[in-house]
Amino acid sequence: MRNVFWKRVGPLFAVVATLLLSGCGGGDQEGGTTLQASRVEGWVQPASADQGVPQVRSRPVADTPTPSRIRLDAVAQEKAAAQGPVVGPRLIGMARDVSATGAAPQTLQQFQWKPTAGGGQIAAISFSAEGAHGLRLGVVAKQLPGGSMLRVYSQAEPGTVFQISGQEVLQRIQRQKQAGDTSLDGQTWWTPDMGADEVTLEVELPAGTPVGALDVAIPRVSHIFENLSLPSEDDFSTKINESAACQLDATCYGAYANQRNAVARMIFTSGANTYLCTGTLLNDSISSGTPYFLTANHCISSAAAAESLQTDWFYRTPTCNSRTLSSTVARRLGGATLLFASDSFDMTLLKLNEAPPAGAFFAGWDAGTQVAGVAVAGLHHPRGDLLKISFGTLRGQTFCTAPSAGTAFQCGGSTGNYYQVGWNQGTTEGGSSGSALFNSANQVIGTLYGGSSSCSATSSPEFYGRFDVAYNVALKNWLSPTASVAPASGRSAVYRFYNAATGAHFFTINAAERDNTIQNLPSFAYEGIAFYAQAGALSSNIPVYRFYGTVGGAHFYTSSAQERDSVLSSLPAFRYEGIAWYASAVAAAGASPVYRFYRPSKQVHFYTIGLAERDFIIANNPEYVYEGVGYYAWTSQ
């Protein structure tokens, strides 16, 4: 019985991949000053690395509103499994339509608004399904006011919430649209899995925002029928010891102590179905710390699926064969950005939107063609179980053809874009898809496509997409950049806050200032990353100057040296604080416009890179005067 599957990619994605690749430049281009690396060693994420701002946080239960309730019928796991595709990654959750919140007007009717202490409004909707081990809500957001907050939690634990700003939700959806995804998936933000049969979506609007300005709907949920929660060490009920008996505990093999810290269990949603695969964190040739993440194209092949990704790190035993979960397990819910994917060798490269946890390993790789007969190993999460390892031999190259829906894949011949592997110990199962193949030097050389091995037939062939082929076609543009593009043009996140007291937004590129504001200025609500800019001067960029208004308590930012000088000479209440960051004066190198508004009633400016947010303000907030494009920045690193 086949245990790892392939999923066909639609024609839309072929266009997306081409567009993404064409904007990155190639390592063999004229003018490049750095030779392409053929082998790269790995390194460990230090504890000092910026871990961003945790989105899961505590909140007083008294602050939670009374939700309206939507209950869905129970669905048997057998029925759910039957609903899934015949081919594809391991299905763990099925799509379900929700008529009660299928459109924005219906959704607004479900909200029961009540005032907040800050003068805004707050409401919530609870969704439940008997027997579900989790529910992901498909939020279609077309209008979310600046300063709005979305929270996700279970009524069983209302004090532990996942919080995200409305502007960040819109940014994620905008990235999906920019990748060419105009489908319903491309318009959807998927809430994280809270591991319960009930989940609540809460929306808080800032003061002065009319409820009618909100345009959100939840037409679909993903009903998760496998238990994926992170258990305690004395809880054996969730995805522990479920894989086949011949699987080997990866913790028992010290030679792979670093490599196993590069592997994460993946959970993602596509078409409202939720799936499980395995992926691997990769280093690049300049050890930039960019969290490149490798998996299979048949796992993730669209920008929307990438944005829905959540990862579980260090999901393994604490000691050899202890059959319990390590206390170091760490979950990341921030999703990823799709960089490249191809069904020619079944490989996808992502960039994680969040930094991996301290101790994670950026795996090395070998872009040379591997020869038959060498020893290899695979690190993977079969059935979503604790991390396992398989040992075998690379038998040679082969050619594989993509199957039609409902048919098995075909592999054969002595040349092609795949490696054939035979296991000596261990095997792979559903959930292992996308996991990396390591050579004897512990470097990545491929990703799992499929195969037919099992505990009773460990020598049956397994097939891995060739890393060297993918590298030469595309991956070198990110993993071995030339001087003209490395490292990601030096872009850093610009963080955004909203101060309800002044009605102004605050922006900073400094992570220490971000953290200090969160810890010591509670009136500033953190709204996530506004956009990406450059921390240092380059020949192609311009400075953005920062002022502080000592009277109103708001900051002002401008890229105009003339405007800077005018403020310095005629507005003494504004204290000049220097250069905030660097941006582009023109729409070059993938840069997007940063739109500028002025609010005369508060005497403050507002800036956004979000096209939907710009249009929302123009349509719904006449007190904001649109002043056009201030400069150009980037929606991703």
Side-chain angles (χ1 to χ4, degrees):
M1 179 178 179
R2 194 167 309 281
N3 53 25
V4 186
F5 303 102
W6 184 94
K7 180 182 178 183
R8 178 168 294 281
V9 179
L12 171 64
F13 180 71
V15 177
V16 175
T18 301
L19 290 173
L20 289 171
L21 180 58
S22 64
C24 295
D28 296 331
Q29 61 191 7
E30 292 185 8
T33 59
T34 302
L35 294 176
Q36 295 289 349
S38 60
R39 292 181 182 84
V40 165
E41 299 298 324
W43 63 283
V44 177
Q45 175 85 310
S48 59
D50 179 22
Q51 293 292 302
V53 177
Q55 290 184 294
V56 177
R57 61 194 66 193
S58 298
R59 188 186 59 167
V61 175
D63 292 344
T64 60
T66 301
S68 60
R69 295 183 179 273
I70 297 172
R71 293 179 172 85
L72 304 177
D73 295 334
V75 175
Q77 179 173 337
E78 293 78 9
K79 179 181 178 182
Q83 296 289 332
V86 177
V87 295
R90 183 173 177 85
L91 180 71
I92 58 172
M94 66 172 291
R96 302 191 66 182
D97 294 332
V98 185
S99 59
T101 52
Q106 296 167 294
T107 305
L108 286 178
Q109 289 177 0
Q110 294 288 337
F111 284 122
Q112 301 172 21
W113 298 96
K114 75 172 190 178
T116 65
Q121 299 183 81
I122 192 169
I125 307 175
S126 167
F127 298 79
S128 60
E130 183 182 349
H133 288 289
L135 292 171
R136 301 193 78 178
L137 308 181
V139 180
V140 177
K142 296 182 180 179
Q143 289 188 166
L144 286 169
S148 63
M149 285 289 175
L150 281 68
R151 300 183 183 95
V152 183
Y153 52 89
S154 168
Q155 288 292 316
E157 295 184 70
T160 301
V161 302
F162 171 88
Q163 179 170 296
I164 186 171
S165 69
Q167 75 94 18
E168 186 173 347
V169 170
L170 291 177
Q171 277 203 354
R172 291 193 185 189
I173 293 174
Q174 181 176 329
R175 285 197 295 264
Q176 295 166 187
K177 291 180 179 178
Q178 288 175 333
D181 192 343
T182 59
S183 67
L184 180 58
D185 277 5
Q187 303 171 49
T188 302
W189 169 67
W190 288 98
T191 64
D193 169 31
M194 304 304 288
D197 63 358
E198 181 277 332
V199 65
T200 297
L201 175 67
E202 177 183 296
V203 178
E204 181 175 354
L205 301 177
T209 302
V211 170
L214 193 66
D215 189 340
V216 296
I218 305 102
R220 302 176 297 173
V221 303
S222 189
H223 177 126
I224 297 174
F225 51 80
E226 289 199 12
N227 194 343
L228 302 171
S229 59
L230 300 181
S232 61
E233 290 197 7
D234 58 354
D235 181 358
F236 290 86
S237 63
T238 60
K239 305 307 296 179
I240 291 181
N241 309 316
E242 290 188 5
S243 57
C246 68
Q247 298 286 8
L248 306 175
D249 183 356
T251 304
C252 299
Y253 300 88
Y256 296 86
N258 280 327
Q259 286 67 35
R260 64 192 180 214
N261 289 340
V263 181
R265 185 177 74 165
M266 302 166 53
I267 299 166
F268 57 94
T269 300
S270 178
N273 291 313
T274 297
Y275 303 95
L276 190 147
C277 279
T278 302
T280 306
L281 186 66
L282 289 187
N283 192 17
D284 59 26
S285 61
I286 54 176
S287 296
S288 68
T290 304
Y292 294 119
F293 193 72
L294 189 71
T295 189
N297 175 80
H298 79 256
C299 292
I300 289 181
S301 60
S302 71
E307 288 288 350
S308 76
L309 176 66
Q310 57 186 60
T311 49
D312 294 327
W313 300 85
F314 319 132
Y315 194 80
R316 60 173 186 268
T317 59
T319 57
C320 179
N321 290 325
S322 63
R323 298 175 64 82
T324 58
L325 178 62
S326 170
S327 61
T328 63
V329 64
R331 174 163 285 181
R332 292 291 182 267
L333 304 171
T337 301
L338 179 70
L339 300 178
F340 176 81
S342 173
D343 61 355
S344 295
F345 29 78
D346 193 38
M347 206 168 289
T348 288
L349 185 67
L350 308 171
K351 183 180 74 66
L352 301 176
N353 293 335
E354 287 182 293
F361 186 70
F362 290 74
W365 42 264
D366 186 343
T369 302
Q370 307 297 301
V371 298
V374 299
V376 292
L379 286 160
H380 53 100
H381 289 284
R383 301 193 196 179
D385 202 351
L386 302 177
L387 187 66
K388 307 299 181 183
I389 191 167
S390 303
F391 297 102
T393 303
L394 194 152
R395 296 175 176 172
Q397 300 176 17
T398 190
F399 176 78
C400 296
T401 57
S404 301
T407 64
F409 57 77
Q410 302 289 329
C411 295
S414 58
T415 60
N417 292 345
Y418 294 83
Y419 289 127
Q420 182 179 145
V421 171
W423 298 126
N424 304 319
Q425 294 178 280
T427 184
T428 61
E429 300 177 73
S432 303
S433 283
S435 59
L437 184 70
F438 293 86
N439 62 14
S440 57
N442 290 0
Q443 295 172 316
V444 174
I445 59 171
T447 53
L448 182 58
Y449 170 61
S452 56
S453 73
S454 65
C455 288
S456 59
T458 55
S459 62
S460 293
E462 297 281 295
F463 303 99
Y464 284 78
R466 287 173 53 187
F467 181 85
D468 60 318
V469 175
Y471 175 86
N472 287 314
V473 169
L475 301 191
K476 62 186 178 184
N477 294 291
W478 294 277
L479 300 182
S480 187
T482 62
S484 60
V485 297
S489 301
R491 296 174 201 158
S492 298
V494 175
Y495 309 104
R496 169 173 150 174
F497 292 82
Y498 176 64
N499 186 346
T502 64
H505 285 78
F506 168 59
F507 301 82
T508 178
I509 201 170
N510 187 299
E513 188 174 39
R514 173 202 67 193
D515 294 342
N516 180 70
T517 303
I518 292 172
Q519 294 166 12
N520 300 304
L521 299 173
S523 62
F524 285 78
Y526 179 63
E527 294 191 309
I529 295 172
F531 48 81
Y532 291 85
Q534 291 158 340
L538 297 175
S539 59
S540 59
N541 64 21
I542 57 173
V544 175
Y545 308 103
R546 169 173 151 173
F547 290 83
Y548 175 66
T550 57
V551 175
H555 284 80
F556 169 63
Y557 307 82
T558 179
S559 61
S560 168
Q562 181 179 0
E563 188 173 38
R564 175 202 62 188
D565 294 342
S566 177
V567 173
L568 285 170
S569 63
S570 59
L571 297 173
F574 281 84
R575 184 176 68 220
Y576 180 56
E577 294 187 325
I579 295 173
W581 53 79
Y582 295 84
S584 176
V586 296
S592 299
V594 175
Y595 308 104
R596 173 171 150 169
F597 291 84
Y598 179 60
R599 189 180 182 185
S601 63
K602 297 286 187 179
Q603 296 184 334
V604 297
H605 283 82
F606 171 65
Y607 317 84
T608 179
I609 203 170
L611 183 61
E613 189 170 38
R614 181 204 67 178
D615 294 344
F616 174 85
I617 293 172
I618 292 173
N620 297 283
N621 295 95
E623 63 177 315
Y624 284 82
V625 179
Y626 179 52
E627 295 186 328
V629 176
Y631 48 87
Y632 294 82
W634 293 266
T635 58
S636 62
Q637 204 167 28

